Amino acid sequence: MENRLLECCVDSVESALAAAEGGADRLELCAGLIIGGISPGLALLEQVRMCCDLPVRVLLRPRFGDFLYTEYEFRILQREVALFREAGADGIVIGCLREDGSLHMEQLEKLVAAAGSMKVTLHRAFDVCADPMQAYGQARELGIDTILTSGQESSCLAGMPLLKQLSRLEKETCGPRIMAGAGVTPAVIREFLTETEISCYHLSAKKVVQSGMQYRREGVPMGLPAMDEYSIFQTDSQIVAEAKKVLVSH
């Protein structure tokens, strides 16, 4: 199997460096990974570029939640495409839906056009669309080169049946590349390489790092009460290295 690719989703310079150390082929850069990822700041891309030479695709998502965007939110997305293109991002990661669960083709057409020469990934808005086969064909029409998907399930393992169908469609139509995501580990990659023809995987390889704060004021959450303000999620280079080893040696 050729052109195997391991993409690591990161929301800090530290995680980007760990991903590179572990052998990742590409980064998806975001902020707020703990809530599924939102658009990062330009300064983060600049710092990652200074410290790491991996290709970077930037997740563009104006807020946590669904992918039905208001006109104001869409204007933000359009502006972010331009800003990150000018800042030297290699690609963008986008997704917009209509109320009925179909891809919002008009919005996506504008974002893809604004991307210019940047590559485009359709993110997991695909996993909550109404008709994945129709959406796959529409993504192909748009010129999108990658679809990040769990097979419309909470994990890619649970979604393997649909992922197999999509992988076959990829081969038949030379359409967007299917990138398996959600719950990806070295063991999961090994199983997928045995059971499917999918060669592209997306993982965060997270570990929990304790804050260096010695003085801690407990019981004062800055966001969701269930989150520990003194736990930091970062990419583990060893997990990335194990995943890469499985990917290239299987």
Side-chain angles (χ1 to χ4, degrees), residues 59 152 194:
L59 173 69
Q152 295 205 317
T194 300

Side-chain angles (χ1 to χ4, degrees), residues 53-101:
D53 60 3
L54 289 179
V56 180
R57 295 197 183 189
V58 178
L59 173 69
L60 301 182
R61 186 183 179 206
R63 57 164 170 77
F64 169 80
D66 64 34
F67 306 103
L68 178 64
Y69 295 124
T70 67
E71 182 59 31
Y72 296 113
E73 290 170 333
F74 181 64
R75 290 178 192 172
I76 291 169
L77 286 171
Q78 286 182 297
R79 181 61 180 147
E80 286 181 328
V81 172
L83 289 171
F84 282 105
R85 185 190 67 234
E86 293 163 5
D90 298 285
I92 55 172
V93 183
I94 57 174
C96 306
L97 297 179
R98 291 190 175 277
E99 295 91 335
D100 63 0

Side-chain angles (χ1 to χ4, degrees), residues 28 121-124 126-127 146-150 179-181 202:
E28 181 194 89
T121 297
L122 174 61
H123 62 44
R124 293 187 64 208
F126 180 87
D127 283 327
T146 302
I147 297 177
L148 171 60
T149 172
S150 63
M179 176 185 288
H202 171 100

Side-chain angles (χ1 to χ4, degrees), residues 103 105 108-109 112 120 122 126 132-147 166 169-178:
L103 293 187
M105 291 295 284
L108 288 170
E109 284 171 357
V112 170
V120 180
L122 174 61
F126 180 87
M133 295 305 177
Q134 180 188 49
Y136 185 91
Q138 291 174 322
R140 182 170 181 264
E141 292 172 15
L142 289 165
I144 288 169
D145 81 321
T146 302
I147 297 177
L166 292 167
L169 193 57
E170 174 191 336
K171 300 297 186 297
E172 292 168 2
T173 66
C174 297
R177 191 173 190 182
I178 294 299

